Amino acid sequence: MSVLLTASRLIDSISQFMGKLSEYMVLFCCLISAGNAIVRYAFNYSSNGWLEIQWYLFAFVVMLGASHALRNNEHVRVDLIYGSVSDRAKIWIDIVGLILFLLPACVYLTWLCWPFFTLSYHQGEISGNAGGLIRWPVKLILVAGFALLSLQGLSELVKRIAALTGHISIDTTYEKPLQ
């Protein structure tokens, strides 16, 4: 179990780094958006490339930040019974959800996105917009994001099993979002 927990900590650190990188990408996206708006209104000039880079950065934020959200237990849940059961039951709910839903979906989506990326890369796909960007980097982020989310799902599974067997304790507190 100690080897698995070490691997889990490594995956967690990668997800944490990607989460921090995503935070900076939000800042870059805002700066590019503001700069693009200023240039458009002040100089009557615009570029599709600058608009598309915002789209790319948003994809990076969502796909690379998802594993960070899962690691921090800040992901979206369907909380029908989770908030009213014991900590042990919450761990079991997490295990079942990881094994039956998250991991199969993420592995399948990673597998589906790979040919989507490779075709784009080999064809040298470029945006159809004038001044647009190459498309394969954003398609690679789909593969990387789902793969990283799969790894983080495995890390969470290891931590839940370790908590059940008494090797570690985890916080199962889930705060419902305000609605």
Side-chain angles (χ1 to χ4, degrees):
M1 184 57 71
S2 65
V3 172
L4 292 175
L5 286 170
T6 301
S8 174
R9 282 190 294 275
L10 175 65
I11 293 168
D12 287 352
S13 65
I14 293 168
S15 291
Q16 182 177 9
F17 174 77
M18 291 300 173
K20 186 58 77 177
L21 185 62
S22 293
E23 291 173 10
Y24 286 110
M25 287 183 185
V26 170
L27 174 63
F28 294 146
C29 191
C30 291
L31 292 173
I32 289 169
S33 178
N36 196 28
I38 290 168
V39 168
R40 184 178 36 221
Y41 291 113
F43 302 108
N44 199 25
Y45 175 79
S46 184
S47 165
N48 286 327
W50 286 107
L51 294 172
E52 287 183 11
I53 197 71
Q54 294 172 59
W55 177 72
Y56 282 27
L57 286 171
F58 183 70
F60 285 31
V61 167
V62 170
M63 294 308 298
L64 297 179
S67 64
H68 182 63
L70 179 61
R71 183 183 70 82
N72 288 328
N73 201 26
E74 294 176 353
H75 55 288
V76 175
R77 288 185 189 272
V78 178
D79 184 14
L80 298 175
I81 58 170
Y82 194 85
S84 61
V85 297
S86 70
D87 286 346
R88 190 164 181 81
K90 288 178 184 178
I91 291 171
W92 274 108
I93 290 170
D94 288 345
I95 289 172
V96 169
L98 289 165
I99 291 172
L100 293 182
F101 301 108
L102 182 89
L103 289 172
C106 287
V107 168
Y108 183 62
L109 288 167
T110 303
W111 180 74
L112 282 179
C113 289
W114 180 255
F116 184 60
F117 154 69
T118 57
L119 180 65
S120 179
Y121 179 78
H122 291 300
Q123 289 180 343
E125 183 182 4
I126 297 175
S127 169
N129 298 321
L133 303 176
I134 55 173
R135 288 281 169 94
W136 67 262
V138 76
K139 292 180 179 183
L140 177 60
I141 287 300
L142 289 171
V143 175
F146 285 124
L148 186 58
L149 191 54
S150 298
L151 287 173
Q152 188 60 46
L154 288 173
S155 173
E156 296 304 314
L157 183 60
V158 166
K159 289 186 275 191
R160 296 313 184 273
I161 292 169
L164 277 181
T165 59
H167 289 86
I168 63 169
S169 64
I170 59 172
D171 182 16
T172 58
T173 305
Y174 175 69
E175 190 175 318
K176 280 184 176 180
L178 298 175
Q179 299 175 8

